[in-house]
Amino acid sequence: MKTQMDEGEAETISLAMKLNNVILILDDKKARRVAKQIGLKVIGTVGMLLYQI
């Protein structure tokens, strides 16, 4: 994973894989694509703000 995206995004995805039922807040396109391919729930910053309204 670390070759495809920044280390921070890779670590975030790695942690989310260990936790149950989490929604990742990611804006990086590569990180979002990888997370979705793994089956993780992903939302962007704007989506998170709209979700709270």
Side-chain angles (χ1 to χ4, degrees), residues 32-52:
R32 290 174 66 104
R33 181 177 38 81
V34 170
K36 287 180 182 179
Q37 288 175 345
I38 296 170
L40 298 171
K41 298 175 188 174
V42 179
I43 193 169
T45 303
V46 174
M48 181 195 66
L49 293 172
L50 292 175
Y51 180 75
Q52 294 300 319

Side-chain angles (χ1 to χ4, degrees), residues 1-43:
M1 265 193 254
K2 291 184 182 183
T3 59
Q4 297 178 4
M5 68 191 83
D6 289 338
E7 188 175 340
E9 280 88 5
E11 291 296 325
T12 300
I13 290 172
S14 177
L15 178 60
M17 291 170 58
K18 296 175 185 175
L19 301 174
N20 291 326
N21 199 24
V22 297
I23 300 174
L24 291 174
I25 303 168
L26 297 170
D27 289 322
D28 182 78
K29 271 187 171 182
K30 291 179 186 177
R32 290 174 66 104
R33 181 177 38 81
V34 170
K36 287 180 182 179
Q37 288 175 345
I38 296 170
L40 298 171
K41 298 175 188 174
V42 179
I43 193 169

